[in-house]
Amino acid sequence: MLGDGELQALNSSLKTVTDNNQRHHQELHKLLDQFQFLLESYNRLKSDYEEEKEGRERYKKLARAQERNPFILVLVDGDGYLFKEYLIKAGAEGGVKAARLLNDSIKDLAHERLGIEADQCRIMVRIYSNVLGLSRAMARQKLVGNEARSLSMFTSSFTRAQDLFDYIDAGDKKEGADYKIREIFRLFADNNQCKHIFFAGCHDTGYLSLITPYRGKADRITLIKAASFHPEFERLDLPVRELPSVFMSTQTPGNRAPSPTISIPAAPKICTFYQKGICRYGSSCKKIHIMPGQQLSKTSEPSTRPSISSWRDKDNSNVREMEFYAENLPYMNAKALDFIPVNKDGERIDIYVPPPSPEVWELYVKRSKVRKLCNNYHLGGGCDNENCEFDHSAADSNSLNVMKYILRQHVCTKGARCRLLNCYVGHHCQKGGCRGIKPCRFGRRAHTLDVTVAQWEVPVEQSTSGDSSVSVASIDDDWTSSWAFDASPIECSY
């Protein structure tokens, strides 16, 4: 028989085995619970992974589909962006040519923005306008016929000319074109297939709220500048480009609003035949008989036929302000590309060049300090100097406008008889407030020249290397630095 000590030891051992077995059982349950939790977590992660994998595959398929059909959108408000006059006058043929010119111009700009990626992109053009109202406006300018919707021949041929080109009549309701343009822009602005948008609606500040969210996104949007470009769009930090071969870059005389005030009277016309001694009208001549070198004085009471005492050239009353030139000088148009405007006396009239804004002026001066632009290359039709030290790289329209404005203050050696089409210097003064005294280099006649266009003459051939009207290839630092931009007349110190 087992003794009491042995029984007590066995009892203690049994209790120890039971406790150990119970702890082991508890640990096993705990381990099983953890395993179950891990298994459930794994199943959830696996499910999420499969869903994510499926989503990524769908995205890749979608991306591949989008990459297969990339395009560039050209969005135009046709009520503010008018095609060149000669294109509109040509009717159906003009519509086809306008589509071709627009396609070629956009391709050039697309390569500038996208590089070789532009070769893979198709060009989609959407033009919205009030065709009925636009037809009436064009008819008043004798560009189309007087029948209703006479512009439709141009618009329909434009649409047929290219697969993705559409000139759409937005109706004659107010803001009809605006509404369409806004919705199309929102549809494609964040579309991956749409690689770039060229927006041509910068005449209307109503589009500012549409474009402002994309401020600075030069990789997505380029603004197109035309006749009525509003300066507010320049503050959006987006590239601005022009299509001079497609759209009118200035308002036509028929569209220009008259100046509210003209502060100067028209200068009396002087009889050039009398000065040569061959006037056959005598005292009945409607022009003033005055010998060269004589001066006219002003009287308080005008007469039917002005006499020598009716005008004094030194008087401030005949000073022409910028409003006069803006109102009376011819603007750049289709004719000015091929012909030269002259007055009834056969004297050349320069195309109006508006004064640059202070901001544009400052940007031009900064660029000139780095490297000066070549006048012959950018304005004269080409530079034949292979070792030219001046800049031949691309220049924006603002820089070209400053160059034109400055060079118009140089006197052409041929004077008003110049017939060189690419002559970029001045043939008469068009500086507001100039009284024809030093430091202005133009003579008195160049300040009272009749600027009414009598006809457009065929130019003579111009040589880019020999017969130049000015013997400078670029504007020097002294010239740009001396032209401080203010409201007073700018001195012609070169």
Side-chain angles (χ1 to χ4, degrees):
M1 297 249 340
L2 297 175
D4 292 337
E6 293 176 326
L7 289 174
Q8 187 175 0
L10 289 173
N11 187 41
S12 178
S13 298
L14 181 62
K15 186 174 184 306
T16 299
V17 170
T18 303
D19 291 342
N20 289 336
N21 188 44
Q22 187 174 1
R23 278 197 307 274
H24 175 74
H25 184 70
Q26 290 176 348
E27 291 293 332
L28 182 61
H29 272 282
K30 184 177 180 181
L31 182 61
L32 291 173
D33 289 341
Q34 289 178 344
F35 178 79
Q36 183 66 30
F37 174 77
L38 291 175
L39 185 60
E40 291 175 355
S41 298
Y42 170 80
N43 287 331
R44 286 197 301 269
L45 289 174
K46 182 180 179 182
S47 177
D48 293 342
Y49 170 76
E50 293 295 335
E51 290 180 3
E52 182 67 21
K53 182 179 179 181
E54 184 179 355
R56 286 180 60 84
E57 290 299 323
R58 287 198 302 267
Y59 175 79
K60 288 179 180 179
K61 290 180 181 179
L62 180 62
R64 284 193 295 268
Q66 291 178 343
E67 291 299 326
R68 282 199 298 267
N69 296 291
F71 66 90
I72 294 167
L73 176 65
V74 183
L75 199 53
V76 183
D77 187 329
D79 292 333
Y81 283 65
L82 306 180
F83 285 93
K84 290 287 189 179
E85 291 181 359
Y86 79 96
L87 295 173
I88 296 174
K89 284 183 178 180
E93 293 181 2
V96 174
K97 187 172 183 180
R100 178 178 58 79
L101 289 173
L102 181 57
N103 185 70
D104 293 343
S105 299
I106 292 299
K107 279 185 177 179
D108 292 339
L109 293 182
H111 277 92
E112 176 188 337
R113 307 308 309 168
L114 302 176
I116 60 174
E117 185 182 1
D119 295 330
Q120 309 300 322
C121 298
R122 303 181 69 187
I123 298 175
M124 178 189 296
V125 176
R126 293 289 183 271
I127 303 178
Y128 297 91
S129 72
N130 174 4
V131 174
L132 179 61
L134 201 55
S135 297
R136 292 172 180 170
M138 294 294 182
R140 286 194 294 269
Q141 298 178 40
K142 308 299 182 183
L143 299 179
V144 295
N146 292 321
E147 62 273 11
R149 301 182 188 277
S150 52
L151 190 63
S152 59
M153 291 182 61
F154 175 90
T155 61
S156 59
S157 62
F158 178 91
T159 300
R160 291 194 302 269
Q162 300 282 342
D163 293 342
L164 297 179
F165 281 37
D166 288 303
Y167 197 121
I168 302 165
D169 185 0
D172 55 358
K173 299 295 183 182
K174 186 178 181 181
E175 307 296 332
D178 298 30
Y179 174 76
K180 291 287 187 179
I181 289 172
R182 289 175 181 276
E183 294 306 313
I184 290 293
F185 182 88
R186 293 190 181 105
L187 179 63
F188 291 112
D190 298 314
N191 187 311
N192 289 330
Q193 282 181 280
C194 181
K195 300 303 179 183
H196 203 80
I197 297 178
F198 291 94
F199 183 79
C202 303
H203 65 294
D204 188 350
T205 55
Y207 292 122
L208 282 171
S209 60
L210 180 69
I211 305 296
T212 299
Y214 298 90
R215 179 193 296 270
K217 293 187 177 181
D219 59 325
R220 291 292 297 164
I221 299 172
T222 295
L223 304 179
I224 300 299
K225 183 177 182 180
S228 302
F229 186 84
H230 200 282
E232 287 292 329
F233 285 90
E234 295 180 347
R235 302 178 181 179
L236 296 178
D237 195 23
L238 293 172
V240 179
R241 297 292 183 269
E242 284 189 84
L243 302 179
S245 63
V246 181
F247 298 116
M248 296 183 189
S249 57
T250 58
Q251 293 184 356
T252 60
N255 285 338
R256 294 209 311 270
S259 179
T261 57
I262 301 296
S263 60
I264 59 169
K269 297 179 176 62
I270 298 174
C271 180
T272 56
F273 295 98
Y274 175 81
Q275 294 182 347
K276 298 176 183 179
I278 57 175
C279 181
R280 62 179 180 176
Y281 295 102
S283 60
S284 63
C285 182
K286 295 182 179 180
K287 298 181 181 179
I288 295 178
H289 284 184
I290 178 175
M291 294 304 295
Q294 285 185 294
Q295 296 179 348
L296 302 176
S297 61
K298 181 181 178 183
T299 59
S300 58
E301 294 295 330
S303 59
T304 303
R305 179 178 181 273
S307 63
I308 292 178
S309 62
S310 66
W311 197 273
R312 175 166 293 277
D313 207 26
K314 290 184 178 179
D315 209 321
N316 288 341
S317 59
N318 72 328
V319 174
R320 293 174 170 178
E321 303 294 343
M322 285 308 302
E323 290 85 354
F324 174 84
Y325 295 114
E327 178 67 22
N328 293 280
L329 287 180
Y331 277 55
M332 177 57 69
N333 54 32
K335 282 186 177 180
L337 296 174
D338 300 307
F339 300 97
I340 295 175
V342 298
N343 62 17
K344 58 182 179 53
D345 296 319
E347 297 167 304
R348 179 170 182 161
I349 303 171
D350 286 330
I351 301 300
Y352 175 68
V353 179
S357 66
E359 294 81 7
V360 170
W361 193 276
E362 183 179 357
L363 290 174
Y364 175 80
V365 172
K366 287 182 179 179
R367 173 165 181 169
S368 296
K369 290 180 178 179
V370 177
R371 193 181 181 194
K372 288 164 275 188
L373 296 171
C374 178
N375 298 334
N376 288 333
Y377 180 82
H378 292 286
L379 301 180
C383 179
D384 291 338
N385 185 0
E386 296 181 356
N387 299 318
C388 182
E389 61 181 302
F390 301 109
D391 192 357
H392 287 188
S393 62
D396 59 84
S397 59
N398 289 329
S399 296
L400 294 178
N401 187 69
V402 176
M403 292 177 68
K404 292 176 184 177
Y405 186 75
I406 294 176
L407 290 166
R408 278 288 191 261
Q409 311 305 320
H410 287 279
V411 182
C412 176
T413 56
K414 296 180 180 295
R417 298 297 170 183
C418 174
R419 293 296 184 269
L420 300 178
L421 182 61
N422 292 329
C423 183
Y424 46 75
V425 290
H427 305 89
H428 58 79
C429 186
Q430 66 170 279
K431 185 174 61 176
C434 184
R435 292 180 293 171
I437 59 177
K438 291 183 178 180
C440 181
R441 294 189 173 188
F442 287 97
R444 296 285 181 86
R445 177 62 180 165
H447 293 81
T448 60
L449 188 82
D450 182 6
V451 295
T452 303
V453 179
Q455 61 180 340
W456 294 80
E457 288 193 1
V458 177
V460 298
E461 292 294 328
Q462 180 177 10
S463 170
T464 58
S465 59
D467 192 9
S468 177
S469 296
V470 63
S471 59
V472 291
S474 182
I475 304 166
D476 62 22
D477 294 329
D478 293 337
W479 174 262
T480 53
S481 61
S482 66
W483 278 53
F485 199 95
D486 55 26
S488 61
I490 299 173
E491 298 183 353
C492 303
S493 55
Y494 180 74

